[in-house]
Amino acid sequence: MTHRQILFIIFGLMAGMFLASLDQTIVGTSMRTIGDDLDGISLQAWVTTGYLILSTISTPLYGKLSDIFGRRPLYIIAIAIFLVGSLLAGIATNMYELAIFRAIQGLGAGGLMSLALTVMGDILAPRERAKYQGYFLATFGISSVIGPLLGGLLSGAPEILGITGWRWIFLLNLPIGAIAMVIVLMFLHIPHTKRAVRIDWWGVAAIVLTVVPILLVAEQGREWGWGSLGAIACYVIAPLGLILFLVVERRMGDDAIIPLKLFRSSTFSMATVLGVLVGFGMFGAMMTLPNYLQIAAGATPTEAGLMMIPMVLGLMISSIVSGQLISRTGRYKMFPILGTGLLVAAFFYLTFLSADKPIWYVLIGMLVVGLGLGQLMQTLTIASQNSVGPRDIGVATSAATFFRSIGGTLGTAVVFSVLFSRLGQTLPAAFTNPTILAGAQAAATDPAVQSDPANAAILKILTDAQSNPASIGDALSGDTSFLVGADSRLTLPFVDAWANATSTVFWVCLCVVAVAFVLSFFLKATPLRAKSALEEAHAEGAAAGAAARAGAAGAGVGSAEADADTPAIQAQLAAEEMGSLVLPDTSSTPAQQPADK
């Protein structure tokens, strides 16, 4: 394919990936407004859980089905499902409906992310792929910045064109998705080899039984109680689902949704483990830092989005530089080591975060986090793709994306569980700090502070805490808007408690990425292939046709049989020259074959 053709396909894939990645960031800053409008703020966790569950379990299914039926139809289906879910979410009338419609969005998003990387594996050789995948990471980075900005702006508007502002968060996907659909229909034409295989529906069911309980207990365990009946049921069902999955996948062999033979490659296995750990650290940082900027640093959602720019810049710079170096040298061993090392340094640096640290201190830490992530995301994907043959590149890519999503989902759930658990300890501790407490008491008795409406909510919380001291531990578990505009002496105990709890989260992330740093030295960096998956498939088909022709000639096949075989072989080779790789119909009679040829 020419550079121009490749760019057109990349633009279509980037539009689809932009949809999925933007949807992960734009909703977070708007959820409080949505929950208030739909009278269900306590149900917001289900809105997130529904999306994560469907997007995670559908990822390997898209990879396998695209190997069978082709990338183009599956990518079109993924865009269509995502747009249907977006439209329905934009007209939801309650939180239960929104949770269901977000799940439909997740079903489409699972294909948008994994199939984009799979198509890249089809049309580009691994060495060239690193150079182009910088575009995708740039798309991810841009969406990470403008997502919170758009979420804050749209949810803050009462109405836009007669429609409630927050509904445009979902309706905005429709024009972007239409552009992506047009580009894909016009330019995404990739040859595909049709083959009859079994679809591993039992494997899909086993994945559901394994993943759904894990995600449910990770997302809801703090709410249910880790020893509750629902949590215990999840602990039992998930291992049973895993056992069933291993049994089914072994019996399905090459037709399995995640073939176990992939893990025979030490490169694929280690890249998968690293992907889970890196996903944990990545989402831990991306979900924790915006909250810190808004609650501890007092930034608005729009300002917090702008403050994430250093992380995005670091991610884009390191991904572009590492991609160019991989393309030129064909080596990538150093980047997982250097990337995880930078993450270790960044999280260790952020563990010293406190309420009195200036904002530039946080921005430096985010820059280093971005520099580390940019060297890891594309490199681990390339390593996974390079470790398998062209037949399995789709399922390998989707499996790598699937496990990274599992790590990210668990990371999100764990860091929030740690954060809110620690707040129950750091909040009471902040109110026993003599310096902090003296300032808060002085402000509370100041007539000017008492008469300011912006301080009314926080003064009520402090008054209630005098009669019920234990209530202060839950003050930041619900609505935190009482901090906005309040006197800084009154907010200092809450800011200090949040900063201390956040530093504990970074200790957890540090431990996880430290394990990844050690394991990165054991990643076997196999030489990157110089051909794309399509070129390798074409070469295999041509070799098979040549071998069949040589075998027929060497066996001295009679004139009638040789005449019958020769047109089929020649037609196959001609088709392969055109990139089709589809075998002609040889069921016609010998008399008809010359005309068919």
Side-chain angles (χ1 to χ4, degrees):
M1 302 181 73
T2 66
H3 179 69
R4 178 183 175 86
Q5 291 173 318
I6 290 172
L7 284 181
F8 272 117
I9 290 178
I10 287 176
F11 291 150
L13 299 177
M14 285 171 61
M17 180 174 279
F18 183 78
L19 283 173
S21 58
L22 180 67
D23 210 63
Q24 292 178 351
T25 57
I26 195 173
V27 176
T29 54
S30 316
M31 189 52 68
R32 181 187 301 171
T33 303
I34 296 172
D36 290 341
D37 191 54
L38 297 181
D39 193 23
I41 192 68
S42 61
L43 300 173
Q44 63 174 310
W46 290 105
V47 176
T48 304
T49 304
Y51 182 91
L52 289 174
I53 288 175
L54 268 294
S55 63
T56 301
I57 65 177
S58 65
T59 295
L61 183 60
Y62 275 109
K64 189 62 179 180
L65 292 179
S66 72
D67 280 341
I68 299 172
F69 301 109
R71 317 292 187 217
R72 186 173 184 266
L74 266 296
Y75 201 71
I76 292 172
I77 290 172
I79 294 176
I81 293 175
F82 187 86
L83 293 183
V84 169
S86 299
L87 176 61
L88 294 174
I91 61 176
T93 59
N94 57 64
M95 291 292 279
Y96 292 105
E97 287 185 2
L98 184 60
I100 295 172
F101 299 151
R102 284 279 289 164
I104 295 175
Q105 274 190 301
L107 184 61
L112 293 178
M113 298 291 283
S114 62
L115 289 179
L117 298 175
T118 302
V119 171
M120 291 289 290
D122 285 331
I123 65 178
L124 293 170
R127 287 184 63 164
E128 291 296 311
R129 202 176 304 151
K131 181 168 58 179
Y132 284 95
Q133 282 186 351
Y135 292 113
F136 289 94
L137 291 180
T139 300
F140 182 81
I142 292 171
S143 67
S144 299
V145 173
I146 70 172
L149 286 172
L150 282 176
L153 291 173
L154 294 176
S155 61
E159 283 190 1
I160 301 175
L161 300 178
I163 300 175
T164 306
W166 66 261
R167 296 185 183 275
W168 285 100
I169 291 171
F170 306 106
L171 299 179
L172 189 66
N173 291 329
L174 301 180
I176 301 174
I179 295 172
M181 183 72 80
V182 170
I183 295 176
V184 169
L185 290 173
M186 291 179 62
F187 299 106
L188 186 58
H189 299 284
I190 299 177
H192 174 65
T193 304
K194 294 182 179 180
R195 48 193 172 91
V197 296
R198 297 174 295 168
I199 299 178
D200 185 15
W201 297 115
W202 283 107
V204 176
I207 283 182
V208 172
L209 282 177
T210 305
V211 173
V212 171
I214 293 175
L215 297 184
L216 277 177
V217 75
E219 193 78 25
Q220 302 292 328
R222 190 175 58 87
E223 189 80 17
W224 293 347
W226 300 107
S228 65
L229 184 62
I232 294 173
C234 291
Y235 302 150
V236 174
I237 294 174
L240 293 178
L242 178 60
I243 294 171
L244 176 62
F245 174 75
L246 294 175
V247 172
V248 170
E249 299 307 270
R250 182 171 183 177
R251 295 177 70 91
M252 290 295 292
D254 288 346
D255 294 331
I257 191 170
I258 302 180
L260 298 182
K261 69 176 184 180
L262 296 177
F263 296 95
R264 296 174 188 166
S265 167
S266 60
T267 300
F268 181 87
S269 299
M270 186 57 67
T272 298
V273 173
L274 289 175
V276 172
L277 299 176
V278 169
F280 187 106
M282 178 179 70
F283 279 89
M286 292 183 62
M287 299 303 292
T288 305
L289 285 169
N291 282 327
Y292 174 84
L293 293 172
Q294 292 182 62
I295 295 176
T300 65
T302 303
E303 291 169 346
L306 290 173
M307 290 177 184
M308 296 293 287
I309 289 178
M311 180 185 290
V312 176
L313 284 177
L315 189 148
M316 293 172 62
I317 292 170
S318 62
S319 65
I320 292 172
V321 171
S322 62
Q324 291 291 335
L325 291 174
I326 291 173
S327 178
R328 294 177 182 177
T329 65
R331 299 177 181 177
Y332 61 90
K333 172 71 174 179
M334 63 178 288
F335 296 111
I337 298 174
L338 184 58
T340 52
L342 285 172
L343 285 182
V344 169
F347 283 125
F348 180 72
Y349 173 86
L350 290 172
T351 58
F352 295 97
L353 210 58
S354 60
D356 59 348
K357 286 289 192 297
I359 194 65
W360 58 261
Y361 186 92
V362 186
L363 300 183
I364 291 174
M366 290 195 292
L367 175 64
V368 181
V369 169
L371 290 172
L373 288 175
Q375 299 179 66
L376 291 166
M377 294 173 65
Q378 65 173 340
T379 306
L380 295 177
T381 300
I382 291 171
S384 299
Q385 293 174 334
N386 191 63
S387 65
V388 301
R391 173 189 174 102
D392 295 317
I393 196 167
V395 71
T397 306
S398 62
T401 307
F402 168 77
F403 286 109
R404 187 166 61 238
S405 298
I406 291 290
T409 304
L410 289 175
T412 302
V414 169
V415 297
F416 277 122
S417 293
V418 171
L419 178 67
F420 287 104
S421 297
R422 281 286 292 149
L423 279 174
Q425 302 167 2
T426 57
L427 268 172
F431 279 94
T432 59
N433 185 308
T435 305
I436 295 176
L437 186 59
Q441 289 174 340
T445 57
D446 187 342
V449 172
Q450 293 176 347
S451 61
D452 188 349
N455 298 316
I458 195 169
L459 287 172
K460 184 179 185 303
I461 291 174
L462 296 177
T463 302
D464 294 341
Q466 291 178 354
S467 58
N468 182 17
S471 65
I472 200 68
D474 297 324
L476 294 175
S477 298
D479 188 359
T480 59
S481 60
F482 65 86
L483 297 173
V484 178
D487 188 279
S488 60
R489 292 170 295 175
L490 294 176
T491 60
L492 182 58
F494 300 93
V495 170
D496 182 76
W498 191 277
N500 289 334
T502 302
S503 67
T504 304
V505 168
F506 290 131
W507 276 110
V508 174
C509 293
L510 171 63
C511 294
V512 173
V513 297
V515 174
F517 176 66
V518 174
L519 293 179
S520 65
F521 287 91
F522 299 94
L523 177 65
K524 184 179 179 181
T526 55
L528 294 178
R529 299 193 296 267
K531 292 183 178 180
S532 68
L534 288 179
E535 291 172 326
E536 290 181 348
H538 170 80
E540 289 178 3
R549 183 174 57 186
V557 179
S559 59
E561 294 179 351
D563 289 341
D565 288 340
T566 301
I569 295 172
Q570 292 178 347
Q572 177 187 1
L573 293 176
E576 291 165 356
E577 287 297 322
M578 294 185 291
S580 172
L581 295 179
V582 179
L583 290 174
D585 185 4
T586 57
S587 60
S588 57
T589 62
Q592 293 173 322
Q593 286 173 351
D596 292 341
K597 175 183 174 183

